[in-house]
Amino acid sequence: MVLDGIAKRNFLVVGRVGMDLWPDPPGTRTKDAKDLKVGMGGSSANIAAGLVKFGCKAALVTCVSDDAVGWYCEGQLDHYGIDRSHVKRIKGEERTSLAVYETRIEEHQSVIYRNNAADFRMSIEDVEAVDYSQYGALITAGTVFAAEPSRSAAFRAFELAKEAGLPIIFDVDYRPYSWPSPDVAEEVLSRAGNLSDVIVANDEEFGFMAGGIEKGLAKARSLAESSATIVVYKKGPDGAVTFAEGQELATGIFPVDAVKPTGAGDSFMAGFLASLSEGRPMKDAVLRGSACASIVVSQPGCAPAMPNGDQLDAFLKSHPGPTTC
């Protein structure tokens, strides 16, 4: 069922869209900036953009503030070809997320403005208005669970997706600044993980859900044995371990000269799912996702840096990787 849903190449993505700003030229510190570049951000919107670049369809479910920043994000969703039929404008004091990050690795600064975030206003009524039968799979990232009413709405979306036969794809994406406490985050993210068919997270995130980073790999393995069909345990520069079809698959990465640390996880998810949707073998899909992550960290911006199929193929042909595990 999971791969059949992904093969439909039509994804419902639940979660935030935001505005990204970064100093230009690359290497400039924010405190020294005279010029800023602007682009679309937000983990769910980034994933959707990456999927569309690979020829898939993606629709976003979220809320944006009814102001210039929210309108900018709506325009960017249109630019990337992401369906925003389920993106709702809200009035009030809530604001669409803003990220200011540097295109530099040394002493990198990434400042996220998510106080009173507009996307947390997503409601149960919003997700109940979606016709889930029109999609092949549901994707969300962990931040959507960090506050109410968004948390209850996301769990309701899980219920409706399951009723419609859609697999649930979950990027844990733990951001401490969004949560009221680590204890709440551990309980809620673990609950979401137990309901998911595909789970992608790094070693720290699995460790967080398990109560210690040394327990993270065992947590990933237990989820694959108990509830999830595919679990990807990412280890940063040490590659990944994927649990699927009763097997454990170790894969490496594609080393590049990174210019920033942001956007890698979103790009991995898009490349991984797009590759699975094309019927590629699991190992191939994971490696293509890893290559997408390398491409994004080697360029400024997040959504603008997401590769399409031709760019990914060109990278794979010219790159000596992947590393071995």
Side-chain angles (χ1 to χ4, degrees), residues 174-237:
Y174 174 53
R175 311 288 182 96
Y177 55 79
S178 293
W179 290 84
S181 74
D183 289 341
V184 171
E186 180 182 352
E187 188 275 325
V188 172
L189 293 174
S190 295
R191 178 185 167 197
N194 290 334
L195 294 170
S196 300
D197 300 290
V198 179
I199 307 170
V200 178
N202 62 34
D203 47 2
E204 293 181 354
E205 290 164 338
F206 276 118
F208 175 76
M209 290 193 295
I213 191 168
E214 73 283 356
K215 303 175 183 178
L217 185 61
K219 176 68 173 180
R221 184 180 289 114
S222 69
L223 285 166
E225 292 172 348
S226 61
S227 56
T229 301
I230 302 169
V231 178
V232 182
Y233 176 88
K234 298 185 294 184
K235 302 187 292 180

Side-chain angles (χ1 to χ4, degrees), residues 137-150:
L138 182 146
I139 305 169
T140 195
T143 306
V144 76
F145 294 102
E148 294 288 6
S150 178

Side-chain angles (χ1 to χ4, degrees), residues 19-20 25 35 49 64 71 117 122 135 156 179 185 220 244 247 263:
M19 176 185 278
D20 285 355
D35 294 290
V64 296
W71 305 336
M122 182 181 67
Y135 303 96
R156 178 60 176 150
W179 290 84
Q247 298 182 333

Side-chain angles (χ1 to χ4, degrees), residues 21-23 28-31 99-112 260-262:
L21 298 173
W22 59 93
T28 304
R29 304 188 69 168
T30 300
K31 69 183 186 68
V100 183
Y101 56 82
E102 297 171 344
T103 307
R104 54 186 287 125
I105 296 296
E106 185 178 359
E107 298 180 332
H108 174 86
Q109 282 284 304
S110 181
V111 183
I112 313 294
K260 68 180 193 311
T262 53

Side-chain angles (χ1 to χ4, degrees), residues 55-188:
C56 299
K57 294 180 180 180
L60 190 69
V61 185
T62 193
C63 295
V64 296
S65 49
D66 190 10
D67 57 24
V69 177
W71 305 336
Y72 169 83
C73 291
E74 290 176 339
Q76 285 291 290
L77 293 171
D78 292 343
H79 168 74
Y80 286 103
I82 300 165
D83 180 358
R84 61 177 177 91
S85 302
H86 306 295
V87 175
K88 184 177 72 175
R89 289 184 184 181
I90 58 168
K91 298 183 182 295
E93 294 304 313
E94 294 86 357
R95 294 291 178 262
T96 299
S97 295
L98 174 68
V100 183
Y101 56 82
E102 297 171 344
T103 307
R104 54 186 287 125
I105 296 296
E106 185 178 359
E107 298 180 332
H108 174 86
Q109 282 284 304
S110 181
V111 183
I112 313 294
Y113 294 89
R114 283 189 52 72
N115 308 82
N116 208 21
D119 55 279
F120 285 146
R121 282 276 303 276
M122 182 181 67
S123 68
I124 289 176
E125 291 75 18
D126 294 333
V127 301
E128 288 182 340
V130 177
D131 181 359
Y132 291 81
S133 68
Q134 300 300 306
Y135 303 96
L138 182 146
I139 305 169
T140 195
T143 306
V144 76
F145 294 102
E148 294 288 6
S150 178
R151 181 185 305 160
S152 294
F155 278 122
R156 178 60 176 150
F158 274 27
E159 293 175 354
L160 294 167
K162 283 185 175 292
E163 290 173 6
L166 275 63
I168 294 171
I169 301 162
F170 179 43
D171 185 344
V172 175
D173 192 31
Y174 174 53
R175 311 288 182 96
Y177 55 79
S178 293
W179 290 84
S181 74
D183 289 341
V184 171
E186 180 182 352
E187 188 275 325
V188 172

